[in-house]
Amino acid sequence: MFTGIIESIGQIKSVDPLQNSAYAGVRLAVHAPTLDFSDIKLGDSIAIQGACMTVVAMADHTFHVDVSQESLSKTVGLSQPGEVNLEKAMRLSDRVGGHLVSGHVDGLGSVTEFEPVGESWHLQIRAPKTLSPFFAYKGSVTVNGVSLTVNKVDDHDSGECDIHINLIPHTVQMTTLKHLKAGNPVNLEIDQIARYCERIVKTMNLNQG
């Protein structure tokens, strides 16, 4: 589990195929000079752009993870070199500064607006129909691994919705969200509470039917 509070911005330095096959995954080398490596060991989990990955090797402030083709097809930001948000798995004794995040990306959204408003930034994301029911005013959402609060939800006849988020300067500065532009895809993870509520309601409706 994670909290959605980014600990460091790392850099994917290389993306190497694990096998000579179109269905093969890749091994990423992530350089993270500002991440505390003192308590990281092989097999530990680190969220990269919101996707939970397992450390398979590390040296000189660089760690390696293997990413399956399935994960690559369901996420963005893991298939080529570039900056990434990093968060180590939480301890049970840690403060939950954001919200409980599993590190399992539920789907991709598309940035429709990212503009400064006063001292802050307004981020608007178009969420797919499959995820729309899970967003609520003042609810939580994870965008590229960052725990954020939904300030407004606009529903569309298509079943999609737009979620509006306010970003303070600190969040923009300390994460890769600063690079977002209209049209960019982003990794979305819905709130755990919304996930369980949906399951409960669905089960109750089936039992009543």
Side-chain angles (χ1 to χ4, degrees):
M1 297 295 291
F2 306 88
T3 69
I5 303 300
I6 302 306
E7 296 181 65
S8 176
I9 293 179
Q11 184 87 21
I12 295 178
K13 289 296 188 180
S14 64
V15 181
D16 299 314
L18 291 172
Q19 296 179 3
N20 187 20
S21 166
Y23 303 102
V26 297
R27 175 163 293 188
L28 306 182
V30 183
H31 184 57
T34 61
L35 187 68
D36 181 9
F37 272 64
S38 64
D39 59 351
I40 300 176
K41 62 183 184 299
L42 296 184
D44 280 357
S45 296
I46 297 179
I48 306 174
Q49 290 294 92
C52 178
M53 297 294 159
T54 301
V55 176
V56 298
M58 59 181 181
D60 300 325
H61 280 280
T62 297
F63 67 92
H64 300 256
V65 299
D66 292 343
V67 186
S68 69
Q69 191 59 233
E70 170 69 11
S71 293
L72 291 174
S73 69
K74 296 293 192 295
T75 61
V76 292
L78 302 179
S79 60
Q80 60 188 13
E83 287 190 342
V84 287
N85 293 321
L86 301 175
E87 182 189 355
K88 294 182 290 186
M90 65 180 291
R91 301 182 182 90
L92 290 179
S93 60
D94 286 345
R95 287 192 180 98
V96 183
H99 70 284
L100 291 179
V101 175
S102 69
H104 300 149
V105 175
D106 290 299
L108 299 182
S110 178
V111 175
T112 54
E113 183 179 320
F114 186 53
E115 301 290 344
V117 179
E119 77 285 354
S120 301
W121 287 73
H122 172 245
L123 173 61
Q124 181 175 317
I125 298 172
R126 178 68 55 87
K129 180 179 180 179
T130 53
L131 300 184
S132 290
F134 299 97
F135 301 111
Y137 172 65
K138 296 305 179 184
S140 296
V141 61
T142 309
V143 180
N144 286 352
V146 185
S147 172
L148 299 169
T149 300
V150 176
N151 290 328
K152 182 182 177 184
V153 180
D154 292 327
D155 293 313
H156 298 284
D157 293 339
S158 64
E160 299 173 313
C161 75
D162 287 332
I163 56 174
H164 300 256
I165 299 164
N166 182 73
L167 298 178
I168 63 173
H170 177 80
T171 302
V172 175
Q173 179 183 358
M174 300 304 293
T175 69
T176 63
L177 298 181
K178 67 172 73 71
H179 302 307
L180 292 180
K181 297 178 181 178
N184 287 165
V186 289
N187 296 322
L188 297 177
E189 181 184 329
I190 60 175
D191 182 54
Q192 295 289 327
I193 296 175
R195 193 191 308 276
Y196 283 108
C197 286
E198 189 266 350
R199 172 62 178 166
I200 292 170
V201 171
K202 180 181 291 184
T203 302
M204 290 176 63
N205 289 339
L206 287 173
N207 291 337
Q208 290 174 358

